[in-house]
Amino acid sequence: MGAEEPKIKNKMLRQQIFADLKDQKNKQRHKMRAQRAKEEKDDPNAKEKRLKENVPKTIEGMRVYDETIGQKDEADEEDLMQLFNNNGEPPKILLTTSINAKRNAYEFANVLIEIFPNVTFVKRKFGLTMKDIVDACSKRNFTDIIIINENKKKVTGLSFIHLPDGPSFYFKVSSYVDVKKIVGHGRPTSHIPELILNNFNTRLGKTVGTLFQSIFPKNPDFEGRQVITLHNQRDYIFFRRHRYVFENEKKVGLQELGPQFTLKLRRLQRGIKEETEWEYRPEMDKEKKKFYL
């Protein structure tokens, strides 16, 4: 083994030596960049070559290839549209909670009533089974059921059941930010919002995207200038609600209306909570380069 470097016991001296070394490295880096800029100015191809050879590694860039991304299967798309077409009728949603819901669940229900058009809230009665709810909703021409799931007085998930024959979705809810905590937030109106779906590219992602398309009417009130964005990033769906802000007929930006929360798909089942078609597993979190939506 080589001789160990002597340890400097004086703290102020150590700090000074460290600062000098850091300053020396910064000067070398700036000198190298200046030299490189001069060379690339003389040779335009040099910069292009450098950028091509030094592509930064990102999680998105290292994503495991999914054969269903960008795949345009007209049969699949037609099946999805047929599955969620509501028989040509506008969406009609029943909103309820889990049994023995607490205050937080009812407060969240009030938020969802503002978000989803044509929604009716019904308090969940004890002893009322899911089959009872589905049968009653089907007879009254509801197209979807949304159930607020709660655990230990905290909203933990949302279940979506498409009527009359499914499928059923369960999403985990996290990172909820109340409207009052959003600085500069605006006040939403009753106008039907425009829906923007971003980055739902796989076959599973398209299924989830079509679900949300089916529960928002396809005739938004552009006069209201409201837009709901569902952005999928690494299987987390970020919900945002904004209003276009105009000045002298020119769009100048977006004003947040709130709330903010995140959805993560945990389970997709065929029919009314029947055979599981896709389900989250804890080991999926270890597959950092593989995403499903």
Side-chain angles (χ1 to χ4, degrees):
M1 296 178 64
E4 293 184 2
E5 295 183 1
K7 294 182 179 179
I8 303 173
K9 295 182 179 181
N10 187 297
K11 182 179 179 181
M12 294 183 67
L13 183 58
R14 284 202 313 270
Q15 290 176 339
Q16 183 60 47
I17 292 175
F18 175 77
D20 290 342
L21 288 173
K22 188 175 180 180
D23 184 58
Q24 185 180 355
K25 287 182 179 179
N26 285 337
K27 287 180 179 178
Q28 290 175 350
R29 185 168 64 251
H30 289 310
K31 184 178 180 181
M32 180 192 70
R33 288 179 175 176
Q35 179 65 26
R36 186 176 63 197
K38 183 180 179 181
E39 293 173 355
E40 290 178 349
K41 186 177 180 181
D42 297 333
D43 182 8
N45 294 328
K47 183 176 181 179
E48 184 179 344
K49 181 181 178 183
R50 174 175 61 85
L51 294 176
K52 189 175 181 180
E53 292 176 351
N54 295 276
V55 178
K57 290 185 178 180
T58 62
I59 294 178
E60 293 293 340
M62 295 188 293
R63 176 173 181 162
V64 174
Y65 175 72
D66 188 318
E67 62 181 7
T68 65
I69 292 180
Q71 206 178 62
K72 190 170 182 179
D73 191 319
E74 293 183 1
D76 280 351
E77 290 182 6
E78 187 176 338
D79 288 343
L80 281 175
M81 296 306 295
Q82 186 66 29
L83 185 63
F84 291 99
N85 72 351
N86 300 334
N87 293 321
E89 297 295 323
K92 183 181 178 183
I93 304 167
L94 180 117
L95 175 65
T96 188
T97 63
S98 54
I99 299 173
N100 296 325
K102 307 302 180 187
R103 187 181 69 177
N104 286 343
Y106 292 118
E107 289 178 350
F108 192 58
N110 288 332
V111 171
L112 296 184
I113 289 170
E114 285 188 352
I115 292 172
F116 295 111
N118 200 17
V119 61
T120 301
F121 176 77
V122 175
K123 187 174 180 180
R124 182 82 171 266
K125 293 182 179 179
F126 185 79
L128 199 63
T129 66
M130 185 54 59
K131 186 178 184 303
D132 295 332
I133 296 174
V134 169
D135 289 344
C137 288
S138 296
K139 291 176 182 177
R140 291 166 175 79
N141 298 320
F142 282 94
T143 61
D144 296 89
I145 300 173
I146 301 177
I147 303 169
I148 300 171
N149 302 105
E150 184 185 27
N151 186 30
K152 297 180 180 179
K153 299 182 180 181
K154 184 178 179 181
V155 174
T156 56
L158 285 174
S159 295
F160 291 79
I161 301 174
H162 187 68
L163 300 175
D165 302 314
S168 307
F169 302 77
Y170 173 67
F171 295 89
K172 177 184 175 182
V173 175
S174 62
S175 304
Y176 179 78
V177 179
D178 188 73
V179 175
K180 296 176 182 178
K181 295 183 180 180
I182 300 174
V183 178
H185 69 85
R187 291 187 177 182
T189 63
S190 59
H191 293 91
I192 297 173
E194 177 186 359
L195 178 65
I196 296 177
L197 298 174
N198 186 27
N199 208 27
F200 292 85
N201 297 323
T202 67
R203 183 179 289 118
L204 179 61
K206 290 174 183 176
T207 304
V208 172
T210 308
L211 162 73
F212 288 111
Q213 285 179 320
S214 71
I215 58 180
F216 284 94
K218 295 178 175 58
N219 55 333
D221 296 325
F222 291 107
E223 182 184 353
R225 302 173 180 174
Q226 293 186 136
V227 56
I228 286 178
T229 302
L230 295 172
H231 172 69
N232 170 44
Q233 185 171 358
R234 303 170 192 168
D235 292 345
Y236 287 91
I237 302 171
F238 298 95
F239 174 93
R240 296 293 184 271
R241 182 167 56 159
H242 299 89
R243 175 189 289 118
Y244 290 123
V245 179
F246 292 83
E247 188 174 290
N248 299 326
E249 303 300 325
K250 292 184 179 180
K251 189 190 302 181
V252 295
L254 293 171
Q255 180 185 31
E256 185 120 20
L257 301 178
Q260 301 174 356
F261 56 88
T262 303
L263 299 173
K264 187 172 176 65
L265 181 65
R266 293 294 192 180
R267 189 166 51 253
L268 166 60
Q269 293 170 278
R270 296 181 181 178
I272 308 298
K273 292 195 171 185
E274 295 170 357
E275 179 185 351
T276 298
E277 189 169 323
W278 184 91
E279 188 168 19
Y280 163 83
R281 302 184 307 277
E283 57 266 27
M284 289 179 177
D285 286 337
K286 298 178 182 179
E287 301 172 3
K288 299 295 184 182
K289 300 176 186 177
K290 187 171 178 61
F291 309 114
Y292 299 89
L293 299 186

